[in-house]
Amino acid sequence: MDKYLMIKTRDELLRINIAHILYFEADRNYTKLLLSEGIQFTFAVNIGKVEEMLATQIADPNTVLIRVGKSHIVNKTHILQINLPKQKLLLLAGEGKPRELIIPKEPLRALKESLEAEVLETNKQIAEKELAEKEIFE
């Protein structure tokens, strides 16, 4: 079942499928939203308020959307490359076009470490499950 985020402002309402979100980007009191299809919205809500909306509307939002530094919330499922020396985050959009974000080194490093830990944990769980299944059949 698809999960949706509702963003309400005084004058508008957006209903967005979480899987289609590429990233949010702060611009003072505004936030830009880019969807994987290339559609872009800008609305009069700061990124901190967007983060609050995510926390109240989605159970454990950090499983898919994660705050990276002061200016971005990115969809982890679209991450293609993290380049620390160039301070570059490359996201793969639905139309196959990569989107490049320039992000300060420390938040990018924290994201890289978080993703690495996630992969290690997932691999560990898979190995434990395979071992348990092997023991059952022996």
Side-chain angles (χ1 to χ4, degrees):
M1 186 168 160
D2 292 340
K3 294 181 182 178
Y4 288 87
L5 173 66
M6 302 282 275
I7 298 176
K8 297 183 277 186
T9 65
R10 186 179 62 122
D11 298 323
E12 59 187 335
L13 172 88
L14 290 172
R15 181 178 173 266
I16 306 144
N17 185 322
I18 299 291
H20 294 205
I21 295 171
L22 200 57
Y23 65 86
F24 293 94
E25 183 173 35
D27 184 12
R28 295 186 194 98
N29 291 329
Y30 293 86
T31 300
K32 179 173 79 173
L33 164 64
L34 187 70
L35 300 179
S36 58
E37 296 83 4
I39 300 167
Q40 181 177 313
F41 296 97
T42 301
F43 41 92
V45 174
N46 68 37
I47 201 161
K49 188 74 172 164
V50 170
E51 201 169 27
E52 289 174 18
M53 288 179 198
L54 289 168
T56 58
Q57 295 183 37
I58 303 168
D60 198 13
N62 286 339
T63 57
V64 178
L65 299 168
I66 187 165
R67 181 82 180 249
V68 183
K70 294 179 181 179
S71 300
H72 295 89
I73 297 172
V74 300
N75 187 328
K76 293 191 295 189
T77 61
H78 292 283
I79 294 174
L80 180 63
Q81 178 189 36
I82 296 173
N83 186 320
L84 290 176
K86 293 182 180 177
Q87 298 181 340
K88 183 172 76 172
L89 176 64
L90 202 60
L91 302 170
L92 192 59
E95 70 272 7
K97 294 180 186 174
R99 296 287 180 147
E100 183 178 297
L101 298 175
I102 302 301
I103 296 181
K105 197 174 280 188
E106 285 311 309
L108 209 51
R109 184 185 321 275
L111 174 63
K112 180 179 176 284
E113 290 169 359
S114 168
L115 292 175
E116 288 170 343
E118 216 173 88
V119 168
L120 289 174
E121 182 61 31
T122 301
N123 290 345
K124 181 181 171 187
Q125 289 173 356
I126 290 169
E128 288 171 354
K129 182 180 177 185
E130 288 173 351
L131 182 61
E133 288 173 356
K134 185 177 179 182
E135 290 174 356
I136 290 171
F137 293 110
E138 288 182 353

